[in-house]
Amino acid sequence: MIAPAVFGIVVFTVIPAIQMVVWSFYDINQLNPAKTRFIGFGNYTRIFQSADFTRALVNTGVYTFWTVVVIMALAILLAVWLGTKRDKLSKFTQAAIFLPYIVSMVSIGLIFLQLMSPNYGLFNAILEAVGLPKSQWTQSSKTAMMSVILVAVWKAIGYYTIIIGGALQAVPTELYEAAALDNSGKVRTLLKITIPIISPQLFFVLIIMTIGSFKVFETIQIMTGGGPNNATSAAGGVVLLIIVGVLTFVYFRLLSRKVHYQ
C-alpha cells in the first residue's frame, strides 16, 4: 500500500539528492558533458571562501530560527484558543487561517510585495494612519529579513495550527477536569498537561518546520531577489542537507526523551 509513495520519494527525493552530492565534486558543463571534470572538494573550498555564501548561511539560520519559534508559539496558542470554541466564527477562522497554505507561494510573494511597497503599499498606509514611521520593508537590508519571516509565518501558521488542533482533540477531557478541581491556571495546564500530551505532534512539527525553513526559496526570490545587500539568500544545497541532517539528529538526541508517547 505504501509502495507508490515510497517510489515517489525515491525517484523525486532520494535519487536527486544523491545526484546532487555526486555533482558537487565535479565541474559540471551541461552544454558539453565531455568537459565535465572531477575536482574533488574544489567547489566546497570555493563557497566557504566566499563572503556571500557565509552571509547567506547565517541569514538562512536566522530565518529558520525565528520562523520556527514564531510559528510554533502562535500555532499552539491558536490551536488551544480554537479548541475551546464550537461556534461558526471558530469554523470560519480555521478555514481562513488555513487558506494561505494552499495558495501558491509565488502569488503570495507578489501580493505582499505590493502591500509592502514603501511608496504606495497598504502596510505603510496603516503605519502612517496610526502615527508610526513608514518602513522600507523589502527595500532595506535592515527590514528585509523581518518582511520575509512575516510572510512565511502568515502562510504556514494555519497548516500547523490544524495539525496541533487535531492533536488536542485526543487529550482526555478528564485531565482538564482534574486540573480545574485543583485550581490549576490556564498557563500551568497548558505547560503541564496539554504540551506534554501533544509532544509527539509538536516534535513532528518542529522537524518538518526546520527542514521546510532551510529549503526556503520562492519567498526570498520573489520579494527580494536575494537582496538587498545579500540580506536574504539560500546556502549551497549539500551544505544545507548536512546542516538539516545534523539538526534532526540533535533534535532526536535532545528532545526525543521529552516526547511522551501513549
Side-chain angles (χ1 to χ4, degrees):
M1 295 297 292
I2 66 172
V6 172
F7 176 78
I9 292 174
V10 171
V11 172
F12 296 107
T13 303
V14 177
I15 293 179
I18 295 175
Q19 188 69 63
M20 178 183 65
V21 174
V22 172
W23 280 359
S24 68
F25 296 103
Y26 285 82
D27 182 9
I28 302 293
N29 189 323
Q30 297 284 5
L31 298 178
N32 189 354
K35 293 185 178 181
T36 297
R37 59 191 179 90
F38 179 79
I39 59 174
F41 288 95
N43 288 326
Y44 294 96
T45 301
R46 200 154 42 238
I47 62 175
F48 279 111
Q49 290 176 346
S50 169
D52 289 341
F53 175 80
T54 304
R55 187 180 298 111
L57 194 60
V58 171
N59 287 331
T60 303
V62 172
Y63 168 87
T64 298
F65 174 80
W66 284 112
T67 301
V68 170
V69 170
V70 173
I71 291 178
M72 180 71 80
L74 292 180
I76 292 175
L77 294 177
L78 278 173
V80 172
W81 177 70
L82 290 173
T84 62
K85 308 293 183 179
R86 292 294 185 269
D87 52 14
K88 293 183 179 180
L89 179 60
S90 172
K91 296 180 180 179
F92 173 79
T93 304
Q94 292 182 41
I97 63 175
F98 181 76
L99 185 61
Y101 183 78
I102 63 177
V103 179
S104 167
M105 191 66 247
V106 175
S107 301
I108 290 177
L110 292 173
I111 292 172
F112 270 89
L113 193 60
Q114 301 302 315
L115 294 174
M116 293 178 175
S117 172
N119 301 319
Y120 54 83
L122 177 62
F123 288 176
N124 273 349
I126 295 174
L127 292 176
E128 192 175 22
V130 298
L132 296 176
K134 293 183 178 180
S135 173
Q136 291 298 307
W137 299 104
T138 61
Q139 303 301 314
S140 170
S141 59
K142 295 181 179 179
T143 55
M145 179 68 73
M146 176 197 67
S147 303
V148 174
I149 292 174
L150 174 64
V151 176
V153 171
W154 181 82
K155 175 175 172 56
I157 190 170
Y159 173 72
Y160 296 110
T161 298
I162 296 299
I163 293 179
I164 296 174
L168 290 175
Q169 301 301 316
V171 179
T173 57
E174 295 84 0
L175 296 178
Y176 292 132
E177 294 171 357
L181 291 175
D182 290 338
N183 293 323
S184 178
K186 293 183 179 180
V187 175
R188 186 178 181 184
T189 300
L190 175 66
L191 297 177
K192 298 296 184 180
I193 296 178
T194 304
I195 290 181
I197 292 180
I198 66 172
S199 56
Q201 289 78 14
L202 295 180
F203 188 56
F204 165 77
V205 166
L206 176 64
I207 292 176
I208 63 173
M209 268 201 299
T210 301
I211 295 174
S213 297
F214 266 102
K215 295 192 302 179
V216 64
F217 174 76
E218 301 100 324
T219 316
I220 295 173
Q221 184 62 30
I222 295 298
M223 297 185 64
T224 71
N229 193 29
N230 293 314
T232 52
S233 304
V238 174
V239 176
L240 288 182
L241 179 65
I242 295 174
I243 292 175
V244 169
V246 171
L247 283 176
T248 304
F249 175 78
V250 171
Y251 284 160
F252 273 95
R253 292 290 296 177
L254 297 181
L255 301 178
S256 60
R257 296 179 181 178
K258 298 182 181 298
V259 177
H260 302 277
Y261 295 99
Q262 295 181 354

